[in-house]
PDB file of all heavy atoms in Angstrom:
ATOM      1  N   MET A 285     -47.946 -97.250 -51.531  1.00 97.00           N
ATOM      2  CA  MET A 285     -47.202 -98.490 -51.606  1.00 97.00           C
ATOM      3  C   MET A 285     -47.814 -99.516 -50.640  1.00 97.00           C
ATOM      4  O   MET A 285     -48.181 -99.200 -49.571  1.00 97.00           O
ATOM      5  CB  MET A 285     -45.696 -98.264 -51.307  1.00 97.00           C
ATOM      6  CG  MET A 285     -44.967 -97.464 -52.305  1.00 97.00           C
ATOM      7  SD  MET A 285     -43.271 -97.063 -51.833  1.00 97.00           S
ATOM      8  CE  MET A 285     -42.537 -98.679 -51.986  1.00 97.00           C
ATOM      9  N   ASP A 286     -47.907-100.793 -51.110  1.00 97.00           N
ATOM     10  CA  ASP A 286     -48.423-101.822 -50.270  1.00 97.00           C
ATOM     11  C   ASP A 286     -47.316-102.873 -50.080  1.00 97.00           C
ATOM     12  O   ASP A 286     -46.209-102.704 -50.652  1.00 97.00           O
ATOM     13  CB  ASP A 286     -49.663-102.508 -50.997  1.00 97.00           C
ATOM     14  CG  ASP A 286     -49.376-103.010 -52.381  1.00 97.00           C
ATOM     15  OD1 ASP A 286     -48.128-103.115 -52.737  1.00 97.00           O
ATOM     16  OD2 ASP A 286     -50.320-103.268 -53.092  1.00 97.00           O
ATOM     17  N   PRO A 287     -47.496-103.874 -49.249  1.00 97.00           N
ATOM     18  CA  PRO A 287     -46.413-104.879 -49.005  1.00 97.00           C
ATOM     19  C   PRO A 287     -45.870-105.484 -50.289  1.00 97.00           C
ATOM     20  O   PRO A 287     -44.713-105.782 -50.323  1.00 97.00           O
ATOM     21  CB  PRO A 287     -47.159-105.909 -48.123  1.00 97.00           C
ATOM     22  CG  PRO A 287     -48.201-105.124 -47.373  1.00 97.00           C
ATOM     23  CD  PRO A 287     -48.741-104.158 -48.404  1.00 97.00           C
ATOM     24  N   GLU A 288     -46.705-105.700 -51.272  1.00 97.00           N
ATOM     25  CA  GLU A 288     -46.207-106.324 -52.514  1.00 97.00           C
ATOM     26  C   GLU A 288     -45.280-105.391 -53.194  1.00 97.00           C
ATOM     27  O   GLU A 288     -44.204-105.789 -53.662  1.00 97.00           O
ATOM     28  CB  GLU A 288     -47.404-106.673 -53.416  1.00 97.00           C
ATOM     29  CG  GLU A 288     -46.983-107.371 -54.707  1.00 97.00           C
ATOM     30  CD  GLU A 288     -48.070-107.709 -55.568  1.00 97.00           C
ATOM     31  OE1 GLU A 288     -49.304-107.625 -55.143  1.00 97.00           O
ATOM     32  OE2 GLU A 288     -47.887-108.165 -56.762  1.00 97.00           O
ATOM     33  N   SER A 289     -45.664-104.081 -53.311  1.00 97.00           N
ATOM     34  CA  SER A 289     -44.760-103.165 -54.034  1.00 97.00           C
ATOM     35  C   SER A 289     -43.506-102.915 -53.235  1.00 97.00           C
ATOM     36  O   SER A 289     -42.398-102.771 -53.804  1.00 97.00           O
ATOM     37  CB  SER A 289     -45.508-101.881 -54.323  1.00 97.00           C
ATOM     38  OG  SER A 289     -45.901-101.204 -53.127  1.00 97.00           O
ATOM     39  N   VAL A 290     -43.596-102.885 -51.906  1.00 98.00           N
ATOM     40  CA  VAL A 290     -42.423-102.740 -51.022  1.00 98.00           C
ATOM     41  C   VAL A 290     -41.471-103.916 -51.267  1.00 98.00           C
ATOM     42  O   VAL A 290     -40.251-103.737 -51.486  1.00 98.00           O
ATOM     43  CB  VAL A 290     -42.801-102.679 -49.557  1.00 98.00           C
ATOM     44  CG1 VAL A 290     -41.512-102.770 -48.620  1.00 98.00           C
ATOM     45  CG2 VAL A 290     -43.550-101.384 -49.212  1.00 98.00           C
ATOM     46  N   GLY A 291     -41.997-105.139 -51.318  1.00 98.00           N
ATOM     47  CA  GLY A 291     -41.177-106.247 -51.586  1.00 98.00           C
ATOM     48  C   GLY A 291     -40.488-106.190 -52.925  1.00 98.00           C
ATOM     49  O   GLY A 291     -39.326-106.638 -53.116  1.00 98.00           O
ATOM     50  N   ARG A 292     -41.200-105.657 -53.950  1.00 98.00           N
ATOM     51  CA  ARG A 292     -40.674-105.565 -55.279  1.00 98.00           C
ATOM     52  C   ARG A 292     -39.506-104.541 -55.277  1.00 98.00           C
ATOM     53  O   ARG A 292     -38.478-104.799 -55.897  1.00 98.00           O
ATOM     54  CB  ARG A 292     -41.760-105.114 -56.237  1.00 98.00           C
ATOM     55  CG  ARG A 292     -41.341-104.876 -57.651  1.00 98.00           C
ATOM     56  CD  ARG A 292     -40.822-106.156 -58.336  1.00 98.00           C
ATOM     57  NE  ARG A 292     -40.449-105.916 -59.685  1.00 98.00           N
ATOM     58  CZ  ARG A 292     -39.381-106.506 -60.273  1.00 98.00           C
ATOM     59  NH1 ARG A 292     -38.632-107.361 -59.607  1.00 98.00           N
ATOM     60  NH2 ARG A 292     -39.138-106.259 -61.541  1.00 98.00           N
ATOM     61  N   VAL A 293     -39.701-103.427 -54.594  1.00 98.00           N
ATOM     62  CA  VAL A 293     -38.606-102.416 -54.584  1.00 98.00           C
ATOM     63  C   VAL A 293     -37.368-102.966 -53.810  1.00 98.00           C
ATOM     64  O   VAL A 293     -36.221-102.761 -54.210  1.00 98.00           O
ATOM     65  CB  VAL A 293     -39.073-101.123 -53.939  1.00 98.00           C
ATOM     66  CG1 VAL A 293     -37.965-100.136 -53.805  1.00 98.00           C
ATOM     67  CG2 VAL A 293     -40.204-100.493 -54.743  1.00 98.00           C
ATOM     68  N   VAL A 294     -37.592-103.732 -52.737  1.00 98.00           N
ATOM     69  CA  VAL A 294     -36.484-104.357 -51.991  1.00 98.00           C
ATOM     70  C   VAL A 294     -35.660-105.278 -52.974  1.00 98.00           C
ATOM     71  O   VAL A 294     -34.478-105.175 -52.961  1.00 98.00           O
ATOM     72  CB  VAL A 294     -37.055-105.145 -50.812  1.00 98.00           C
ATOM     73  CG1 VAL A 294     -35.955-106.032 -50.256  1.00 98.00           C
ATOM     74  CG2 VAL A 294     -37.530-104.213 -49.741  1.00 98.00           C
ATOM     75  N   ALA A 295     -36.448-106.014 -53.770  1.00 98.00           N
ATOM     76  CA  ALA A 295     -35.716-106.972 -54.680  1.00 98.00           C
ATOM     77  C   ALA A 295     -34.916-106.151 -55.710  1.00 98.00           C
ATOM     78  O   ALA A 295     -33.805-106.527 -56.065  1.00 98.00           O
ATOM     79  CB  ALA A 295     -36.727-107.894 -55.370  1.00 98.00           C
ATOM     80  N   LEU A 296     -35.487-105.079 -56.207  1.00 98.00           N
ATOM     81  CA  LEU A 296     -34.832-104.241 -57.195  1.00 98.00           C
ATOM     82  C   LEU A 296     -33.579-103.609 -56.535  1.00 98.00           C
ATOM     83  O   LEU A 296     -32.495-103.560 -57.141  1.00 98.00           O
ATOM     84  CB  LEU A 296     -35.699-103.126 -57.738  1.00 98.00           C
ATOM     85  CG  LEU A 296     -36.857-103.695 -58.713  1.00 98.00           C
ATOM     86  CD1 LEU A 296     -37.896-102.579 -59.000  1.00 98.00           C
ATOM     87  CD2 LEU A 296     -36.276-104.223 -59.971  1.00 98.00           C
ATOM     88  N   ALA A 297     -33.745-103.099 -55.322  1.00 98.00           N
ATOM     89  CA  ALA A 297     -32.679-102.449 -54.592  1.00 98.00           C
ATOM     90  C   ALA A 297     -31.474-103.427 -54.413  1.00 98.00           C
ATOM     91  O   ALA A 297     -30.323-103.116 -54.546  1.00 98.00           O
ATOM     92  CB  ALA A 297     -33.089-101.888 -53.336  1.00 98.00           C
ATOM     93  N   ASP A 298     -31.893-104.698 -54.034  1.00 97.00           N
ATOM     94  CA  ASP A 298     -30.831-105.708 -53.795  1.00 97.00           C
ATOM     95  C   ASP A 298     -30.116-106.088 -55.064  1.00 97.00           C
ATOM     96  O   ASP A 298     -28.943-106.576 -54.991  1.00 97.00           O
ATOM     97  CB  ASP A 298     -31.455-106.970 -53.200  1.00 97.00           C
ATOM     98  CG  ASP A 298     -31.873-106.765 -51.742  1.00 97.00           C
ATOM     99  OD1 ASP A 298     -31.434-105.787 -51.085  1.00 97.00           O
ATOM    100  OD2 ASP A 298     -32.689-107.541 -51.212  1.00 97.00           O
ATOM    101  N   SER A 299     -30.696-105.819 -56.186  1.00 97.00           N
ATOM    102  CA  SER A 299     -29.991-106.148 -57.486  1.00 97.00           C
ATOM    103  C   SER A 299     -29.189-104.935 -58.069  1.00 97.00           C
ATOM    104  O   SER A 299     -28.588-105.062 -59.075  1.00 97.00           O
ATOM    105  CB  SER A 299     -31.042-106.575 -58.546  1.00 97.00           C
ATOM    106  OG  SER A 299     -31.781-105.443 -58.955  1.00 97.00           O
ATOM    107  N   SER A 300     -29.214-103.842 -57.315  1.00 97.00           N
ATOM    108  CA  SER A 300     -28.584-102.636 -57.864  1.00 97.00           C
ATOM    109  C   SER A 300     -27.203-102.392 -57.352  1.00 97.00           C
ATOM    110  O   SER A 300     -26.818-102.924 -56.278  1.00 97.00           O
ATOM    111  CB  SER A 300     -29.413-101.407 -57.585  1.00 97.00           C
ATOM    112  OG  SER A 300     -29.492-101.172 -56.196  1.00 97.00           O
ATOM    113  N   ASP A 301     -26.360-101.726 -58.247  1.00 97.00           N
ATOM    114  CA  ASP A 301     -25.029-101.390 -57.787  1.00 97.00           C
ATOM    115  C   ASP A 301     -24.956-100.042 -57.098  1.00 97.00           C
ATOM    116  O   ASP A 301     -23.976 -99.717 -56.455  1.00 97.00           O
ATOM    117  CB  ASP A 301     -24.153-101.358 -59.016  1.00 97.00           C
ATOM    118  CG  ASP A 301     -24.005-102.636 -59.708  1.00 97.00           C
ATOM    119  OD1 ASP A 301     -23.680-103.691 -59.036  1.00 97.00           O
ATOM    120  OD2 ASP A 301     -24.368-102.741 -60.916  1.00 97.00           O
ATOM    121  N   ALA A 302     -26.047 -99.213 -57.267  1.00 97.00           N
ATOM    122  CA  ALA A 302     -26.099 -97.915 -56.706  1.00 97.00           C
ATOM    123  C   ALA A 302     -27.604 -97.459 -56.694  1.00 97.00           C
ATOM    124  O   ALA A 302     -28.397 -98.025 -57.426  1.00 97.00           O
ATOM    125  CB  ALA A 302     -25.200 -96.892 -57.370  1.00 97.00           C
ATOM    126  N   ILE A 303     -27.821 -96.497 -55.832  1.00 98.00           N
ATOM    127  CA  ILE A 303     -29.192 -95.956 -55.714  1.00 98.00           C
ATOM    128  C   ILE A 303     -29.148 -94.423 -55.721  1.00 98.00           C
ATOM    129  O   ILE A 303     -28.293 -93.889 -55.114  1.00 98.00           O
ATOM    130  CB  ILE A 303     -29.902 -96.426 -54.377  1.00 98.00           C
ATOM    131  CG1 ILE A 303     -30.054 -97.969 -54.380  1.00 98.00           C
ATOM    132  CG2 ILE A 303     -31.262 -95.747 -54.225  1.00 98.00           C
ATOM    133  CD1 ILE A 303     -30.589 -98.504 -53.001  1.00 98.00           C
ATOM    134  N   VAL A 304     -30.037 -93.812 -56.503  1.00 98.00           N
ATOM    135  CA  VAL A 304     -30.111 -92.398 -56.525  1.00 98.00           C
ATOM    136  C   VAL A 304     -31.577 -92.046 -56.097  1.00 98.00           C
ATOM    137  O   VAL A 304     -32.526 -92.526 -56.621  1.00 98.00           O
ATOM    138  CB  VAL A 304     -29.910 -91.836 -57.987  1.00 98.00           C
ATOM    139  CG1 VAL A 304     -30.061 -90.297 -57.922  1.00 98.00           C
ATOM    140  CG2 VAL A 304     -28.492 -92.234 -58.438  1.00 98.00           C
ATOM    141  N   VAL A 305     -31.638 -91.101 -55.141  1.00 98.00           N
ATOM    142  CA  VAL A 305     -32.935 -90.615 -54.685  1.00 98.00           C
ATOM    143  C   VAL A 305     -33.132 -89.250 -55.264  1.00 98.00           C
ATOM    144  O   VAL A 305     -32.334 -88.275 -55.049  1.00 98.00           O
ATOM    145  CB  VAL A 305     -32.988 -90.510 -53.157  1.00 98.00           C
ATOM    146  CG1 VAL A 305     -34.364 -89.985 -52.757  1.00 98.00           C
ATOM    147  CG2 VAL A 305     -32.740 -91.848 -52.579  1.00 98.00           C
ATOM    148  N   SER A 306     -34.144 -89.051 -56.153  1.00 98.00           N
ATOM    149  CA  SER A 306     -34.395 -87.799 -56.861  1.00 98.00           C
ATOM    150  C   SER A 306     -34.991 -86.849 -55.832  1.00 98.00           C
ATOM    151  O   SER A 306     -35.251 -87.107 -54.673  1.00 98.00           O
ATOM    152  CB  SER A 306     -35.348 -88.016 -58.082  1.00 98.00           C
ATOM    153  OG  SER A 306     -36.698 -88.205 -57.563  1.00 98.00           O
ATOM    154  N   ASP A 307     -35.297 -85.594 -56.349  1.00 97.00           N
ATOM    155  CA  ASP A 307     -35.836 -84.578 -55.466  1.00 97.00           C
ATOM    156  C   ASP A 307     -37.374 -84.688 -55.392  1.00 97.00           C
ATOM    157  O   ASP A 307     -38.113 -83.667 -55.353  1.00 97.00           O
ATOM    158  CB  ASP A 307     -35.430 -83.203 -55.945  1.00 97.00           C
ATOM    159  CG  ASP A 307     -35.737 -82.908 -57.407  1.00 97.00           C
ATOM    160  OD1 ASP A 307     -36.237 -83.852 -58.097  1.00 97.00           O
ATOM    161  OD2 ASP A 307     -35.498 -81.746 -57.862  1.00 97.00           O
ATOM    162  N   VAL A 308     -37.802 -85.892 -55.339  1.00 97.00           N
ATOM    163  CA  VAL A 308     -39.318 -86.172 -55.187  1.00 97.00           C
ATOM    164  C   VAL A 308     -39.781 -85.845 -53.788  1.00 97.00           C
ATOM    165  O   VAL A 308     -39.089 -86.092 -52.825  1.00 97.00           O
ATOM    166  CB  VAL A 308     -39.620 -87.608 -55.604  1.00 97.00           C
ATOM    167  CG1 VAL A 308     -38.888 -88.541 -54.698  1.00 97.00           C
ATOM    168  CG2 VAL A 308     -41.152 -87.864 -55.559  1.00 97.00           C
ATOM    169  N   PRO A 309     -41.016 -85.283 -53.639  1.00 97.00           N
ATOM    170  CA  PRO A 309     -41.578 -85.106 -52.269  1.00 97.00           C
ATOM    171  C   PRO A 309     -41.963 -86.419 -51.760  1.00 97.00           C
ATOM    172  O   PRO A 309     -42.320 -87.372 -52.491  1.00 97.00           O
ATOM    173  CB  PRO A 309     -42.820 -84.263 -52.534  1.00 97.00           C
ATOM    174  CG  PRO A 309     -42.600 -83.601 -53.878  1.00 97.00           C
ATOM    175  CD  PRO A 309     -41.802 -84.559 -54.700  1.00 97.00           C
ATOM    176  N   PHE A 310     -41.854 -86.615 -50.397  1.00 98.00           N
ATOM    177  CA  PHE A 310     -42.185 -87.891 -49.747  1.00 98.00           C
ATOM    178  C   PHE A 310     -43.409 -87.657 -48.828  1.00 98.00           C
ATOM    179  O   PHE A 310     -43.383 -86.794 -47.930  1.00 98.00           O
ATOM    180  CB  PHE A 310     -41.015 -88.469 -48.949  1.00 98.00           C
ATOM    181  CG  PHE A 310     -39.938 -88.967 -49.880  1.00 98.00           C
ATOM    182  CD1 PHE A 310     -38.827 -88.241 -50.136  1.00 98.00           C
ATOM    183  CD2 PHE A 310     -40.096 -90.219 -50.575  1.00 98.00           C
ATOM    184  CE1 PHE A 310     -37.836 -88.715 -50.941  1.00 98.00           C
ATOM    185  CE2 PHE A 310     -39.095 -90.680 -51.344  1.00 98.00           C
ATOM    186  CZ  PHE A 310     -37.978 -89.893 -51.569  1.00 98.00           C
ATOM    187  N   GLY A 311     -44.434 -88.565 -49.001  1.00 97.00           N
ATOM    188  CA  GLY A 311     -45.507 -88.637 -48.070  1.00 97.00           C
ATOM    189  C   GLY A 311     -45.647 -90.007 -47.542  1.00 97.00           C
ATOM    190  O   GLY A 311     -44.840 -90.884 -47.874  1.00 97.00           O
ATOM    191  N   HIS A 312     -46.702 -90.279 -46.778  1.00 97.00           N
ATOM    192  CA  HIS A 312     -46.849 -91.644 -46.268  1.00 97.00           C
ATOM    193  C   HIS A 312     -47.061 -92.693 -47.349  1.00 97.00           C
ATOM    194  O   HIS A 312     -46.673 -93.891 -47.185  1.00 97.00           O
ATOM    195  CB  HIS A 312     -48.119 -91.651 -45.325  1.00 97.00           C
ATOM    196  CG  HIS A 312     -47.860 -90.810 -44.069  1.00 97.00           C
ATOM    197  ND1 HIS A 312     -46.989 -91.159 -43.089  1.00 97.00           N
ATOM    198  CD2 HIS A 312     -48.497 -89.659 -43.662  1.00 97.00           C
ATOM    199  CE1 HIS A 312     -47.063 -90.245 -42.095  1.00 97.00           C
ATOM    200  NE2 HIS A 312     -47.990 -89.302 -42.485  1.00 97.00           N
ATOM    201  N   GLY A 313     -47.498 -92.259 -48.577  1.00 97.00           N
ATOM    202  CA  GLY A 313     -47.773 -93.229 -49.568  1.00 97.00           C
ATOM    203  C   GLY A 313     -46.457 -93.744 -50.280  1.00 97.00           C
ATOM    204  O   GLY A 313     -46.497 -94.829 -50.858  1.00 97.00           O
ATOM    205  N   ASN A 314     -45.437 -92.956 -50.214  1.00 97.00           N
ATOM    206  CA  ASN A 314     -44.257 -93.342 -50.923  1.00 97.00           C
ATOM    207  C   ASN A 314     -42.938 -93.354 -50.072  1.00 97.00           C
ATOM    208  O   ASN A 314     -41.836 -93.537 -50.634  1.00 97.00           O
ATOM    209  CB  ASN A 314     -43.985 -92.485 -52.234  1.00 97.00           C
ATOM    210  CG  ASN A 314     -43.600 -91.055 -51.892  1.00 97.00           C
ATOM    211  OD1 ASN A 314     -43.902 -90.647 -50.802  1.00 97.00           O
ATOM    212  ND2 ASN A 314     -42.982 -90.322 -52.797  1.00 97.00           N
ATOM    213  N   VAL A 315     -43.054 -93.011 -48.818  1.00 98.00           N
ATOM    214  CA  VAL A 315     -41.836 -92.913 -48.021  1.00 98.00           C
ATOM    215  C   VAL A 315     -41.087 -94.276 -47.913  1.00 98.00           C
ATOM    216  O   VAL A 315     -39.881 -94.209 -47.542  1.00 98.00           O
ATOM    217  CB  VAL A 315     -42.237 -92.309 -46.607  1.00 98.00           C
ATOM    218  CG1 VAL A 315     -42.875 -93.354 -45.734  1.00 98.00           C
ATOM    219  CG2 VAL A 315     -41.004 -91.784 -45.933  1.00 98.00           C
ATOM    220  N   ASP A 316     -41.784 -95.333 -48.136  1.00 98.00           N
ATOM    221  CA  ASP A 316     -41.046 -96.663 -48.040  1.00 98.00           C
ATOM    222  C   ASP A 316     -40.009 -96.727 -49.172  1.00 98.00           C
ATOM    223  O   ASP A 316     -39.017 -97.448 -48.941  1.00 98.00           O
ATOM    224  CB  ASP A 316     -42.028 -97.786 -48.302  1.00 98.00           C
ATOM    225  CG  ASP A 316     -42.804 -98.137 -46.970  1.00 98.00           C
ATOM    226  OD1 ASP A 316     -42.181 -97.968 -45.874  1.00 98.00           O
ATOM    227  OD2 ASP A 316     -43.976 -98.493 -47.037  1.00 98.00           O
ATOM    228  N   ASN A 317     -40.145 -95.984 -50.277  1.00 98.00           N
ATOM    229  CA  ASN A 317     -39.066 -95.918 -51.319  1.00 98.00           C
ATOM    230  C   ASN A 317     -37.843 -95.397 -50.590  1.00 98.00           C
ATOM    231  O   ASN A 317     -36.687 -95.915 -50.749  1.00 98.00           O
ATOM    232  CB  ASN A 317     -39.441 -95.037 -52.408  1.00 98.00           C
ATOM    233  CG  ASN A 317     -40.196 -95.737 -53.542  1.00 98.00           C
ATOM    234  OD1 ASN A 317     -39.974 -96.869 -53.851  1.00 98.00           O
ATOM    235  ND2 ASN A 317     -41.140 -94.998 -54.130  1.00 98.00           N
ATOM    236  N   LEU A 318     -37.908 -94.327 -49.853  1.00 98.00           N
ATOM    237  CA  LEU A 318     -36.756 -93.675 -49.165  1.00 98.00           C
ATOM    238  C   LEU A 318     -36.257 -94.637 -48.023  1.00 98.00           C
ATOM    239  O   LEU A 318     -35.040 -94.650 -47.791  1.00 98.00           O
ATOM    240  CB  LEU A 318     -37.189 -92.319 -48.612  1.00 98.00           C
ATOM    241  CG  LEU A 318     -36.060 -91.455 -47.906  1.00 98.00           C
ATOM    242  CD1 LEU A 318     -34.898 -91.328 -48.769  1.00 98.00           C
ATOM    243  CD2 LEU A 318     -36.651 -90.162 -47.427  1.00 98.00           C
ATOM    244  N   ARG A 319     -37.177 -95.272 -47.330  1.00 98.00           N
ATOM    245  CA  ARG A 319     -36.747 -96.181 -46.230  1.00 98.00           C
ATOM    246  C   ARG A 319     -35.831 -97.295 -46.851  1.00 98.00           C
ATOM    247  O   ARG A 319     -34.773 -97.618 -46.271  1.00 98.00           O
ATOM    248  CB  ARG A 319     -37.967 -96.857 -45.609  1.00 98.00           C
ATOM    249  CG  ARG A 319     -37.663 -97.644 -44.361  1.00 98.00           C
ATOM    250  CD  ARG A 319     -38.827 -98.333 -43.881  1.00 98.00           C
ATOM    251  NE  ARG A 319     -40.014 -97.468 -43.768  1.00 98.00           N
ATOM    252  CZ  ARG A 319     -40.189 -96.610 -42.806  1.00 98.00           C
ATOM    253  NH1 ARG A 319     -39.386 -96.456 -41.818  1.00 98.00           N
ATOM    254  NH2 ARG A 319     -41.305 -95.847 -42.766  1.00 98.00           N
ATOM    255  N   ILE A 320     -36.227 -97.796 -48.015  1.00 98.00           N
ATOM    256  CA  ILE A 320     -35.405 -98.920 -48.592  1.00 98.00           C
ATOM    257  C   ILE A 320     -33.988 -98.371 -48.973  1.00 98.00           C
ATOM    258  O   ILE A 320     -32.952 -98.989 -48.776  1.00 98.00           O
ATOM    259  CB  ILE A 320     -36.091 -99.489 -49.756  1.00 98.00           C
ATOM    260  CG1 ILE A 320     -37.389-100.216 -49.304  1.00 98.00           C
ATOM    261  CG2 ILE A 320     -35.184-100.410 -50.560  1.00 98.00           C
ATOM    262  CD1 ILE A 320     -38.378-100.519 -50.383  1.00 98.00           C
ATOM    263  N   ALA A 321     -33.978 -97.100 -49.595  1.00 98.00           N
ATOM    264  CA  ALA A 321     -32.690 -96.511 -49.931  1.00 98.00           C
ATOM    265  C   ALA A 321     -31.839 -96.254 -48.699  1.00 98.00           C
ATOM    266  O   ALA A 321     -30.595 -96.505 -48.698  1.00 98.00           O
ATOM    267  CB  ALA A 321     -32.904 -95.248 -50.690  1.00 98.00           C
ATOM    268  N   ALA A 322     -32.372 -95.824 -47.562  1.00 98.00           N
ATOM    269  CA  ALA A 322     -31.664 -95.563 -46.358  1.00 98.00           C
ATOM    270  C   ALA A 322     -31.077 -96.866 -45.801  1.00 98.00           C
ATOM    271  O   ALA A 322     -29.901 -96.897 -45.365  1.00 98.00           O
ATOM    272  CB  ALA A 322     -32.493 -94.846 -45.337  1.00 98.00           C
ATOM    273  N   GLU A 323     -31.900 -97.928 -45.837  1.00 98.00           N
ATOM    274  CA  GLU A 323     -31.441 -99.228 -45.307  1.00 98.00           C
ATOM    275  C   GLU A 323     -30.302 -99.764 -46.146  1.00 98.00           C
ATOM    276  O   GLU A 323     -29.315-100.357 -45.641  1.00 98.00           O
ATOM    277  CB  GLU A 323     -32.609-100.185 -45.283  1.00 98.00           C
ATOM    278  CG  GLU A 323     -33.655 -99.788 -44.210  1.00 98.00           C
ATOM    279  CD  GLU A 323     -34.918-100.673 -44.273  1.00 98.00           C
ATOM    280  OE1 GLU A 323     -35.069-101.400 -45.312  1.00 98.00           O
ATOM    281  OE2 GLU A 323     -35.744-100.544 -43.416  1.00 98.00           O
ATOM    282  N   ARG A 324     -30.381 -99.608 -47.516  1.00 97.00           N
ATOM    283  CA  ARG A 324     -29.288-100.106 -48.292  1.00 97.00           C
ATOM    284  C   ARG A 324     -28.027 -99.305 -48.159  1.00 97.00           C
ATOM    285  O   ARG A 324     -26.927 -99.819 -48.255  1.00 97.00           O
ATOM    286  CB  ARG A 324     -29.723-100.063 -49.855  1.00 97.00           C
ATOM    287  CG  ARG A 324     -30.899-101.055 -50.092  1.00 97.00           C
ATOM    288  CD  ARG A 324     -30.432-102.485 -49.680  1.00 97.00           C
ATOM    289  NE  ARG A 324     -31.528-103.328 -49.706  1.00 97.00           N
ATOM    290  CZ  ARG A 324     -32.510-103.510 -48.883  1.00 97.00           C
ATOM    291  NH1 ARG A 324     -32.617-102.604 -47.854  1.00 97.00           N
ATOM    292  NH2 ARG A 324     -33.483-104.481 -48.961  1.00 97.00           N
ATOM    293  N   ALA A 325     -28.173 -97.986 -47.879  1.00 98.00           N
ATOM    294  CA  ALA A 325     -26.989 -97.179 -47.534  1.00 98.00           C
ATOM    295  C   ALA A 325     -26.291 -97.708 -46.313  1.00 98.00           C
ATOM    296  O   ALA A 325     -25.061 -97.809 -46.234  1.00 98.00           O
ATOM    297  CB  ALA A 325     -27.398 -95.711 -47.333  1.00 98.00           C
ATOM    298  N   GLU A 326     -27.112 -98.135 -45.333  1.00 98.00           N
ATOM    299  CA  GLU A 326     -26.536 -98.641 -44.070  1.00 98.00           C
ATOM    300  C   GLU A 326     -25.869 -99.970 -44.269  1.00 98.00           C
ATOM    301  O   GLU A 326     -25.051-100.357 -43.479  1.00 98.00           O
ATOM    302  CB  GLU A 326     -27.688 -98.776 -43.042  1.00 98.00           C
ATOM    303  CG  GLU A 326     -28.185 -97.357 -42.556  1.00 98.00           C
ATOM    304  CD  GLU A 326     -29.428 -97.376 -41.694  1.00 98.00           C
ATOM    305  OE1 GLU A 326     -30.172 -98.385 -41.872  1.00 98.00           O
ATOM    306  OE2 GLU A 326     -29.632 -96.461 -40.952  1.00 98.00           O
ATOM    307  N   SER A 327     -26.336-100.686 -45.352  1.00 97.00           N
ATOM    308  CA  SER A 327     -25.713-102.077 -45.602  1.00 97.00           C
ATOM    309  C   SER A 327     -24.616-101.918 -46.565  1.00 97.00           C
ATOM    310  O   SER A 327     -24.045-102.957 -46.990  1.00 97.00           O
ATOM    311  CB  SER A 327     -26.804-102.973 -46.109  1.00 97.00           C
ATOM    312  OG  SER A 327     -27.292-102.611 -47.365  1.00 97.00           O
ATOM    313  N   GLY A 328     -24.209-100.743 -47.014  1.00 97.00           N
ATOM    314  CA  GLY A 328     -23.061-100.541 -47.820  1.00 97.00           C
ATOM    315  C   GLY A 328     -23.275-100.205 -49.308  1.00 97.00           C
ATOM    316  O   GLY A 328     -22.309-100.039 -50.061  1.00 97.00           O
TER     317      GLY A 328
END
């Protein structure tokens, strides 16, 4: 993931009513997906 794709996921997360994190493995390349989900959980 690069800054552009991170920004795109943030926008998609902000438009969602709920988030589901599948049982995908996380490495340095995709952990920002999980970071965005955790931050949205913290914001309600």
Side-chain angles (χ1 to χ4, degrees):
M285 294 176 68
D286 57 15
E288 182 179 353
S289 61
V290 170
R292 177 66 177 141
V293 177
V294 167
L296 290 169
D298 287 343
S299 72
S300 66
D301 299 303
I303 297 173
V304 179
V305 180
S306 74
D307 54 356
V308 59
F310 289 101
H312 293 293
N314 70 337
V315 75
D316 280 327
N317 274 324
L318 182 55
R319 187 185 314 281
I320 293 165
E323 290 170 352
R324 293 307 170 281
E326 291 170 336
S327 64

